[in-house]
Amino acid sequence: MSTSTFAQVSLLLLALLTSLTVGLALVTLVLHARRDRREALKQSRWERWEPVLLDMLVGDVSPRTLAGEVRKGERGDYFRLLQSYAFRLGGESRALLSEAAAPHLGTIGRWLRHRRPDRRAMAIHLFGFLGDRSDLDLIRPLLADESPAVAMIAARALARSSDPAYVYPVVNVLDRFESWGVQAVASLLTVFGVGCAPTLLQAVGDDRRTDLARCACIEALRLLGYPPAAHDAASWLAADPRPPREVSAALLRLLRDIGGPGHADVVRQLTESEDDVLRLHAITALAAVSLQPGDAARIELALSDPSRWVAIRAAQGLIDSGRVQSLRAVAFEESPRGSVARQVLEEAGLDMAL
């Protein structure tokens, strides 16, 4: 390729790149302008509706009056306004919002099948907050939505109903929410309330379910403080074979919080497990459920555990169970367990004086 030809090609490519850059900049400006216009339009509509909505909430106008203020093409912004108030209000005020939404809910029913996830999510929120029992049945299929975020919103809407009929459908899709983590999934299940705890307990006992689903149900039972779960937890831990590691650890955390002296035998056995994680949780649970001198000695012995994490939990268990003096006595030793005792006492803000 000659020098002049190369220069011409370079200039052509430079012009093409410049055109693309300018084009992208123009598209960005257009999109920003469109977004700004859309936001300004929504704001103007809200300013038109909110005075009527507030009058409705204090009883000066009827919900039908507010619904009549909505023109064709404005329902999306109208539903967003109702949704913003539904999140903050309950009782009679929520009922008024439901009446104001009713004339337009046909549109929301279609949005449950909308191609855009945000529209499906809004429809779920509105049906969940403002719909009736039959509307919840419309939400249930969205537990299988292609968007995990939409499926989670559907699960929360069903959980807010506190209806035991929806517990198993939600538990059956918990694996979809693995990226949220056990704590977030358990928090979702607690929204059902303690009345649904027996159903969660049955789900824990089903070893065909995944570890994530079982751990989330156990954690939810712990958060709900459901005492009958402690008996079953101890039985499962004592079984041969016992549940998988993560499930067993979750059961031990449950016994730590809602167990009692009657569950000490099975916890005591697991303090000798070959698994560091199970020993760690067993020591913590034993410190919580038993005040027997023999168990105090067992916890002190765990200060010398090969796993420093288990040893630290043992030291924390002595503090939590009121056996600080025992820990202080060990802290004077020039040994690995003495080092653990000093570390935990210092972190707890406790001195070493006997």
Side-chain angles (χ1 to χ4, degrees):
M1 182 184 295
S2 67
T3 303
S4 61
T5 303
F6 180 78
Q8 289 174 351
V9 171
S10 298
L11 287 172
L12 181 62
L13 288 174
L14 181 60
L16 181 61
L17 288 172
T18 302
S19 298
L20 287 173
T21 302
V22 171
L24 287 173
L26 288 173
V27 168
T28 301
L29 287 172
V30 169
L31 290 176
H32 279 296
R34 185 177 298 174
R35 183 198 62 192
D36 291 343
R37 285 197 302 270
R38 183 73 186 84
E39 183 61 28
L41 185 59
K42 185 197 82 169
Q43 192 61 38
S44 69
R45 289 169 177 171
W46 279 28
E47 289 172 359
R48 191 176 90 235
W49 294 325
E50 275 197 291
V52 185
L53 187 151
L54 294 174
D55 286 343
M56 178 194 74
L57 292 175
V58 298
D60 289 345
V61 301
S62 72
R64 292 281 173 176
T65 300
L66 174 60
E69 294 287 322
V70 183
R71 302 164 189 157
K72 186 177 180 180
E74 296 182 334
R75 290 191 180 97
D77 289 334
Y78 179 60
F79 290 140
R80 290 184 183 91
L81 176 64
L82 295 182
Q83 179 180 312
S84 71
Y85 275 84
F87 276 126
R88 292 174 281 166
L89 301 176
E92 293 182 5
S93 296
R94 180 79 63 79
L96 289 171
L97 292 173
S98 297
E99 288 185 51
H104 302 286
L105 283 181
T107 298
I108 286 298
R110 293 192 294 273
W111 281 6
L112 288 171
R113 301 177 296 278
H114 202 281
R115 62 181 178 80
R116 285 172 45 182
D118 64 310
R119 288 291 176 91
R120 299 197 299 275
M122 181 186 291
I124 293 168
H125 276 308
L126 284 163
F127 274 138
F129 279 115
L130 306 178
D132 56 24
R133 178 64 170 74
S134 62
D135 294 323
L136 292 176
D137 289 335
L138 295 175
I139 292 173
R140 179 173 170 172
L142 276 89
L143 290 171
D145 193 272
E146 62 184 19
S147 165
V150 172
M152 173 63 92
I153 292 169
R156 283 199 171 276
L158 295 174
R160 280 194 298 270
S161 72
S162 301
D163 189 333
Y166 294 119
V167 180
Y168 273 127
V170 170
V171 171
N172 287 338
V173 299
L174 292 183
D175 289 343
R176 300 201 63 197
F177 312 136
E178 184 174 4
S179 62
W180 271 268
V182 169
Q183 291 297 323
V185 176
S187 176
L188 157 68
L189 294 173
T190 61
V191 178
F192 276 108
V194 73
C196 297
T199 312
L200 292 177
L201 197 56
Q202 291 177 32
V204 177
D206 185 355
D207 58 12
R208 296 169 298 178
R209 297 191 182 277
T210 64
D211 291 356
L212 171 74
R214 296 176 76 188
C215 286
C217 290
I218 294 166
E219 179 65 8
L221 289 164
R222 183 187 72 81
L223 293 172
L224 289 168
Y226 185 62
H231 173 75
D232 287 327
S235 297
W236 288 322
L237 287 169
D240 187 19
R242 68 173 57 93
R245 178 199 206 189
E246 293 303 320
V247 177
S248 293
L251 291 170
L252 284 167
R253 289 193 293 271
L254 184 147
L255 287 177
R256 176 197 67 197
D257 285 3
I258 60 176
H263 307 119
D265 285 346
V266 66
V267 174
R268 195 176 293 121
Q269 292 171 13
L270 286 170
T271 61
E272 299 175 1
S273 170
E274 295 180 357
D275 189 312
D276 293 356
V277 171
L278 293 185
R279 287 203 311 280
L280 181 152
H281 288 291
I283 285 293
T284 305
L286 187 63
V289 303
S290 176
L291 294 175
Q292 293 184 20
D295 289 326
R298 187 181 297 270
I299 296 169
E300 287 184 37
L301 185 63
L303 293 171
S304 301
D305 194 278
S307 166
R308 187 171 179 87
W309 291 112
V310 175
I312 288 173
R313 282 296 184 93
Q316 291 171 339
L318 289 173
I319 292 175
D320 293 342
S321 59
R323 301 176 176 120
V324 180
Q325 289 299 88
S326 298
L327 190 61
R328 283 174 172 147
V330 174
F332 286 96
E333 297 180 8
E334 291 300 327
S335 63
R337 72 175 197 156
S339 171
V340 168
R342 289 191 294 274
Q343 174 187 333
V344 173
L345 284 169
E346 181 179 351
E347 290 175 352
L350 300 171
D351 59 53
M352 290 190 294
L354 291 173

